[in-house]
Amino acid sequence: MIRPLTMLLGAALVAMPAAAAVDGLPLVKAHLAAVDTMTADFEQIDRVGKSVRGVLTLKKPGKIRFQYEKGVPYLIVADGKSLWFLDYQVGQKQRWPIANAPLGILLDPTKDATRFAKTVDTGDPRIVSVEASDPRHPEYGRITMVFARIAGAPGGLMLQGWVALDAQNNRTTVRLANQRFNIAIADNAFRFNEPRRGSLRN
């Protein structure tokens, strides 16, 4: 249930070929440029329909936190340099460079979405969908981010969530709600306790 999200966060997309900036990509770029921080409630749904919830906190450059609900012994944190998956049940952690994370498009204001992503026709003018994948590394899977056109949102778009499809066609969906943008967030929101078997998250 948790692993597909860590795969989505940790796979490399830095060497993807250029794609033409059509329709939605300039809008997505404008939105991303207008967002410095974001908080949201999230629901993560795995391929069999099982879901967990939590709170997402984001701060550019390079910081994000997926705080899962009580009873879920996992934590995902990017501290500005590295992305960490922490398992407090078994006392283990894994690390990925932030520069190689697909969701780096949200974290790094210097990333250009037109270089590694393309818009997907949704048939609904109210929705902008952007897909990213690396054809040279199919094992990284694919991520599709979904935005709604909402007046008053940064750049006129509101991130609604994303869908990740791994190399085995396992689908993980993340849905967002109660999004808030450009509010003050302290850097210590991205600190974490070292995982030890039976230890508690912070």
Side-chain angles (χ1 to χ4, degrees), residues 16-21 25 105 112-119 130-133:
M16 297 182 63
L25 281 181
I105 189 174
D112 183 356
T114 63
R115 295 184 59 195
F116 57 86
K118 64 180 180 179
T119 52
V130 174
E131 178 185 290
S133 63

Side-chain angles (χ1 to χ4, degrees), residues 94-153:
Q94 293 176 275
R95 174 188 174 276
W96 293 271
I98 292 228
N100 294 348
L103 283 183
I105 189 174
L106 296 177
L107 302 175
D108 185 352
T110 67
K111 274 189 175 290
D112 183 356
T114 63
R115 295 184 59 195
F116 57 86
K118 64 180 180 179
T119 52
V120 178
D121 184 8
T122 66
D124 187 339
R126 299 168 298 177
I127 301 297
V128 175
S129 183
V130 174
E131 178 185 290
S133 63
D134 186 343
R136 298 191 306 175
H137 294 281
E139 69 274 17
Y140 294 159
R142 183 167 69 247
I143 178 174
T144 302
M145 304 179 71
V146 179
F147 300 83
R149 297 178 189 254
I150 296 178

Side-chain angles (χ1 to χ4, degrees), residues 133-186:
S133 63
D134 186 343
R136 298 191 306 175
H137 294 281
E139 69 274 17
Y140 294 159
R142 183 167 69 247
I143 178 174
T144 302
M145 304 179 71
V146 179
F147 300 83
R149 297 178 189 254
I150 296 178
L157 293 182
M158 180 84 72
L159 178 61
Q160 301 296 293
W162 55 87
V163 177
L165 199 65
D166 68 18
Q168 289 74 44
N169 286 322
N170 295 314
R171 181 184 300 268
T172 300
T173 301
V174 174
R175 298 172 180 166
L176 302 181
N178 300 320
Q179 298 92 324
R180 299 177 64 199
F181 298 97
N182 298 329
I183 62 174
I185 297 175

Side-chain angles (χ1 to χ4, degrees), residues 10 15 22 48 60 63 65 100 104 112 136 156 163:
V22 295
V48 297
K60 293 180 182 175
K63 297 181 177 69
R65 183 184 187 101
N100 294 348
D112 183 356
R136 298 191 306 175
V163 177

